[in-house]
Amino acid sequence: MPRAGLCSCWGGRVLPLLLAYICYLLLGATIFQLLEKQAEAQSRDQFQLEKLRFLENYTCLDQQALEQFVQVILEAWVKGVNPKGNSTNPSNWDFGSSFFFAGTVVTTIGYGNLAPSTEAGQVFCVFYALMGIPLNVVFLNHLGTGLRAHLTTLDRWEDHPRHSQLLQVLGLALFLTLGTLVVLIFPPMFFSHVEGWSFREGFYFAFITLSTIGFGDYVVGTDPSKHYIAVYRSLAAIWILLGLAWLAVVLSLGSLLLHRCSRLWLLIRGLDLKDGTAPDSDPRPQKIPISA
């Protein structure tokens, strides 16, 4: 019997989800290949052309010397050193930058543009992440739950008159909309202004960051030609934490909002069909049987 139940579960639920998951990955791989492969080839050809032009302009260098220099640049980049500028560039490991890096570790964003290079730093990073990642999950869960408890009274909404239920739904929708503007619209505008990005690039950075994908192609506070305030990257780390907490609230309240909207719409439609007129004018509160 247990074996039969396992087979039934696999065939009924797991297998369709697995097939959908694989198909989604194949679809993404196909589209990304179509969009990016040609651009990569063009960039590679352009880079090789620039190297040839460089050798033509500086005949004292040969191909081997240039390749060694490029290797030095790549190693410096891997260690978090920006090859642009000079030795007066701001440190990647001042307190503000270190605070930003610590935030990317515990939130599992991991941009990849900066990592510990010393043995002691790498060992500490492992143990720091082992403790910090669960702490971050617990903190975000409690923060999201707390915000939901203090900002809404949806658990008792069915005891309210229908017009009050509608006002609560509209208020919650407005709250989620304004919060999304504050978290996902205004910060990209600010980052775009400071970093010299377009809004599209700023929004892309914000989404990739708050979704914890963290490619590392766009990172705040890394341009050596700009003079940032000392707490700039620390403020960015705080925005990341608050943004992740906000997403937890949105995921919690967003689905509940859609559920309540659908139930309220069905109630109004049902009353309209029953009476052939506007909803019932009975002043008594209308209860909606729902499951939280």
Side-chain angles (χ1 to χ4, degrees):
M1 291 297 294
R3 185 174 180 179
L6 180 62
C7 294
S8 176
C9 178
W10 175 264
R13 297 181 181 180
V14 178
L15 185 58
L17 287 176
L18 177 61
L19 293 176
Y21 184 73
I22 294 176
C23 290
Y24 192 73
L25 292 178
L26 293 175
L27 175 65
T30 302
I31 295 177
F32 282 128
Q33 182 182 27
L34 293 174
L35 294 176
E36 299 295 333
K37 187 175 182 179
Q38 184 176 1
E40 179 200 28
Q42 293 175 352
S43 298
R44 184 184 294 112
D45 294 340
Q46 182 65 27
F47 178 65
Q48 296 298 327
L49 181 60
E50 291 295 332
K51 287 200 299 183
L52 292 176
R53 289 176 179 174
F54 186 84
L55 290 174
E56 291 175 356
N57 293 331
Y58 299 92
T59 56
C60 58
L61 289 176
D62 57 13
Q63 182 72 25
Q64 184 178 0
L66 179 59
E67 294 296 338
Q68 290 177 350
F69 182 66
V70 171
Q71 183 64 32
V72 170
I73 293 177
L74 290 176
E75 291 177 357
W77 180 261
V78 169
K79 293 180 180 179
V81 178
N82 195 319
K84 297 172 59 177
N86 51 43
S87 60
T88 61
N89 291 342
S91 171
N92 286 320
W93 295 105
D94 56 17
F95 183 79
S97 298
S98 298
F99 183 81
F100 181 78
F101 174 77
T104 62
V105 171
V106 299
T107 56
T108 69
I109 294 175
Y111 288 115
N113 68 311
L114 183 64
S117 59
T118 64
E119 182 178 347
Q122 293 171 352
V123 172
F124 174 74
C125 185
V126 170
F127 288 99
Y128 184 77
L130 286 175
M131 297 292 294
I133 293 174
L135 177 62
N136 178 71
V137 172
V138 171
F139 167 72
L140 293 179
N141 286 339
H142 278 73
L143 184 59
T145 303
L147 287 174
R148 173 180 173 176
H150 287 288
L151 294 174
T152 67
T153 56
L154 292 177
D155 290 338
R156 296 181 298 276
W157 90 308
E158 65 272 12
D159 296 329
H160 294 199
R162 192 166 57 256
H163 71 276
S164 177
Q165 297 173 6
L166 179 60
L167 289 177
Q168 286 189 23
V169 169
L170 293 177
L172 179 58
L174 179 62
F175 169 75
L176 292 177
T177 301
L178 293 177
T180 301
L181 288 175
V182 171
V183 173
L184 284 178
I185 302 300
F186 294 151
M189 294 174 62
F190 173 73
F191 292 136
S192 299
H193 174 72
V194 174
E195 301 290 341
W197 300 336
S198 65
F199 177 76
R200 175 188 60 81
E201 292 172 318
F203 184 82
Y204 170 81
F205 162 76
F207 178 80
I208 293 300
T209 295
L210 295 183
S211 60
T212 69
I213 297 174
F215 288 126
D217 49 350
Y218 289 89
V219 183
V220 297
T222 58
D223 191 342
S225 65
K226 297 184 180 296
H227 299 282
Y228 304 100
I229 61 175
V231 295
Y232 176 61
R233 301 192 79 183
S234 297
L235 292 176
I238 294 174
W239 163 74
I240 291 174
L241 294 176
L242 294 178
L244 292 175
W246 173 253
L247 289 181
V249 174
V250 169
L251 293 176
S252 175
L253 296 184
S255 59
L256 186 58
L257 174 64
L258 293 176
H259 182 263
R260 296 295 166 87
C261 286
S262 64
R263 299 295 296 182
L264 191 59
W265 171 252
L266 290 175
L267 172 67
I268 296 174
R269 290 271 301 187
L271 291 175
D272 287 343
L273 294 175
K274 178 180 179 181
D275 299 338
T277 59
D280 189 3
S281 59
D282 188 352
R284 292 177 298 176
Q286 302 293 329
K287 292 189 178 182
I288 304 175
I290 64 170
S291 58

